[in-house]
Amino acid sequence: MIALLGPWASLLPLLVIAVAGLAMLMVDAFVKENAQLGLFSAVILGAAGLVSLGLWDASVTLHAPEMLGGYLACDRLALFSDVVICLGGMLAVLLAGGYLREHNLERGEFYVLMVFSTLGAMALGRSTDMLSLFVSLEALSLGVYCLVAFRRQSPKAAEGAMKYFLLGSFASAILLFGMAMLYGATVHTDFAGMTAAFASGEADLRLGILGMALVLIGLAFKVSAVPFHMWTPDAYEGAVTPATTFMAVVVKSATMVVLMRLFFGVFGTEELAQAGSGWPTALFGLALVTLIVGNLAALVQKNVKRMLAYS
């Protein structure tokens, strides 16, 4: 099967979910009764995760198609990211099956949004170019904004979704501005080209460091790092429980993988990784403050979702 698909085999997990998501969209539009989209979503996400595991053990070397080779990675980190994301999405979908029926919220669009958000998360974990990073991050975020506001009649859901959307848009603007600065510093948008530019000394180091800081701020918002976490308690509390589970696992996992690709790849050169550039110290401080402030704030919460959001 892998040999028949050629280079496209490396993208098979994404293709499976993309095709299934389009099929679900059509089914939800035209089949109103007993569509069983929840079970179908869980099966598709589980199948995509199994395909990624199969590709991990494949004896052939995987390569991305030439047209996508500079945008999406096909390495083992990408496959590991796919497995974690698909597993998290599948568990959230299985939880949604009973939860939505119990609360009279069973609507097909929930599963469609979750499947397409999972696709965006998988693409984000595979991103090797600033363009694919931004597009996949927005594809993931737009679906999650809708999932947070899924309980339409709830003021808390509306408040949490609005805060998430507004602050998320602001963070996306900061991220995009940082990407523009990195392009100005290196004249590249792909991670490999930026890495080579920093390693060879051809890049503008000062502009690169400023762009790196802005990219870190934009992605720190997505992982709810202090002090970019203020949206998280309201969004977690207002969202339905399956959506909260999805955000806690899938969104953060995908963002952590792309952070690894950036800071251990693009920004891992000797010129940037040294203490003078500041990013190792900044990451250490960000993690330390997040652990301390988040867990201390969690101790005084009376709502379980808010406690989980902080901790």
Side-chain angles (χ1 to χ4, degrees):
M1 181 66 178
I2 294 175
L4 290 174
L5 289 173
W8 290 97
S10 57
L11 300 177
L12 189 56
L14 280 76
L15 295 174
V16 168
I17 293 184
V19 172
L22 291 174
M24 290 172 60
L25 198 60
M26 297 300 293
V27 170
D28 183 50
F30 296 104
V31 180
K32 296 300 182 183
E33 296 181 1
N34 199 27
Q36 298 296 331
L37 290 181
L39 180 60
F40 181 71
S41 303
V43 170
I44 288 301
L45 293 174
L50 289 176
V51 170
S52 297
L53 281 177
L55 292 174
W56 180 286
D57 293 329
S59 58
V60 298
T61 302
L62 297 175
H63 298 286
E66 186 176 350
M67 62 183 295
L68 296 176
Y71 297 97
L72 297 176
C74 297
D75 52 17
R76 288 200 165 187
L77 178 59
L79 296 176
F80 175 76
S81 166
D82 287 351
V83 172
V84 174
I85 289 169
C86 287
L87 180 62
M90 183 181 69
L91 293 176
V93 166
L94 290 174
L95 175 62
Y99 182 93
L100 296 181
R101 281 193 297 271
E102 181 182 349
H103 292 80
N104 297 318
L105 293 170
E106 183 79 9
R107 297 196 299 272
E109 60 264 28
F110 182 88
Y111 303 106
V112 176
L113 287 168
M114 192 162 283
V115 166
F116 279 117
S117 295
T118 303
L119 179 63
M122 293 171 68
L124 179 61
R126 287 171 171 258
S127 295
T128 55
D129 191 285
M130 289 298 182
L131 298 177
S132 58
L133 189 159
F134 185 77
V135 170
S136 57
L137 181 63
E138 290 306 298
L140 167 64
S141 299
L142 289 173
V144 178
Y145 297 152
C146 297
L147 289 174
V148 174
F150 190 75
R151 190 184 279 115
R152 299 170 183 170
Q153 306 303 322
S154 171
K156 288 186 178 180
E159 179 185 357
M162 184 58 68
K163 287 182 178 179
Y164 191 13
F165 173 71
L166 292 176
L167 293 176
S169 300
F170 185 64
S172 295
I174 294 175
L175 176 66
L176 195 59
F177 196 40
M179 291 178 179
M181 287 190 170
L182 287 173
Y183 176 74
T186 64
V187 201
H188 287 279
T189 60
D190 60 297
F191 292 1
M194 288 192 293
T195 303
F198 282 121
S200 64
E202 297 176 359
D204 186 327
L205 198 58
R206 291 176 296 179
L207 189 60
I209 291 174
L210 182 57
M212 177 184 63
L214 293 177
V215 167
L216 175 59
I217 291 172
L219 294 177
F221 171 87
K222 295 299 178 182
V223 293
S224 309
V226 174
F228 312 105
H229 67 294
M230 300 308 295
W231 62 272
T232 315
D234 293 313
Y236 275 38
E237 183 182 13
V240 293
T241 300
T244 303
T245 305
F246 186 83
M247 286 191 290
V249 177
V250 174
V251 177
K252 292 185 180 180
S253 297
T255 310
M256 287 303 298
V257 171
V258 80
L259 275 170
M260 290 172 60
R261 290 191 184 279
L262 281 171
F263 282 89
F264 293 111
V266 177
F267 307 137
T269 59
E270 184 177 352
E271 290 76 13
L272 284 175
Q274 61 184 348
S277 70
W279 79 254
T281 306
L283 280 182
F284 174 79
L286 201 63
L288 186 64
V289 171
T290 300
L291 286 169
I292 295 174
V293 174
N295 283 285
L296 288 178
L299 290 174
V300 298
Q301 301 303 314
K302 297 180 180 180
N303 181 280
V304 173
K305 288 184 179 180
R306 294 183 70 88
M307 181 191 71
L308 292 175
Y310 278 111
S311 64

